[in-house]
């Protein structure tokens, strides 16, 4: 028995006792629970890096920007690995003349997160590049071996931004980092 059976019904009340009509429509529908993410989606994270740099070397002024979307997989809570696509646009100027060329490629990376906001990163990239000359446009291959550290902060539970500084340990002559091997990046990520 419900508690309503112990008290007389109020004749002025518009409510129907629950025992009299089981099919009464209620105004508080039960909300459907949100489906949890699949185990794979809990382990994946997505991001994009942006690098900007300007420097002068040997009479040349060099400016480049770099975009690299990436996907990572959390092997443990602290260690992850992933792949990325890199696009770099470099502008070189000297003696009143300038040349612009694109560098494209891909790579793999690994990150180790500690203290929940600092991480170490190693990266290996293969890029198709023109020669490291202002006016030459014949493309070649450059492999980059980078390592460094970064700092991350969360905007929300799932979205974060990060800043990293990487060093190219063995840039080839065709590398966009040959004369300036320190690479500064900012990025945004989902679920990192």
């Amino acid at each position: 028995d419900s508690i309503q059976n112990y008290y007389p019904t109020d004749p002025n009340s518009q409510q129907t006792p629950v025992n009299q009509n089981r099919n009464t429509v209620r105004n508080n529908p039960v909300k459907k629970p949100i489906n949890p993410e699949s185990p794979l989606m809990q382990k994946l994270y997505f991001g994009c890096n942006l690098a900007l740099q300007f420097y002068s070397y040997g009479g040349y002024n060099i400016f480049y920007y770099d975009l690299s979307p990436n996907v990572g997989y959390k092997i443990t809570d602290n260690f992850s690995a992933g792949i990325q696509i890199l696009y770099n646009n470099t502008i070189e100027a000297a003696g009143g003349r300038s040349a612009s060329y694109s560098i494209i490629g891909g790579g793999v990376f690994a990150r180790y997160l500690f203290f929940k906001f600092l991480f170490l990163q190693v990266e290996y990239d293969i890029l198709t590049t023109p020669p490291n000359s202002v006016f030459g446009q014949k493309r070649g291959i450059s492999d980059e071996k980078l390592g460094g550290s970064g700092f991350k902060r969360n905007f929300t539970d799932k979205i974060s931004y990060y800043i990293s500084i990487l060093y190219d340990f063995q840039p080839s002559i065709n590398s966009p980092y040959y004369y300036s091997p320190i690479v500064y990046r900012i990025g945004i990520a989902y679920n990192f």
Side-chain angles (χ1 to χ4, degrees), residues 113-118 152 154:
L113 181 66
F114 56 100
F115 301 126
K116 295 190 177 184
F117 61 90
L118 295 175
K152 119 182 165 82
N154 284 21

Side-chain angles (χ1 to χ4, degrees), residues 55 64 88 90 103 127 129 142 144 174-180:
Y55 62 94
Y64 74 80
N88 176 303
T90 300
I103 297 169
L127 307 175
T129 65
S142 173
E144 313 300 331
N174 290 341
S175 170
Y177 318 124
Y178 185 74
Y179 294 112
S180 182

Side-chain angles (χ1 to χ4, degrees), residues 84 86 108-110 121-125 127 143-148 165-170 177 181-183 185:
Q84 63 186 356
L86 292 106
V108 294
F109 64 90
Q121 178 169 325
V122 293
E123 184 176 316
Y124 179 75
D125 302 321
L127 307 175
D143 64 333
E144 313 300 331
K145 302 161 194 76
L146 297 107
I165 300 174
L166 303 173
Y167 183 80
D168 192 342
F169 288 97
Q170 195 177 13
Y177 318 124
I182 299 175
V183 181
R185 288 182 181 158

Side-chain angles (χ1 to χ4, degrees), residues 25 40 61 85 112 119 142 146-147 151:
V25 177
L40 176 63
N61 293 319
I85 298 170
Y112 182 77
F119 62 90
S142 173
L146 297 107
F151 170 81

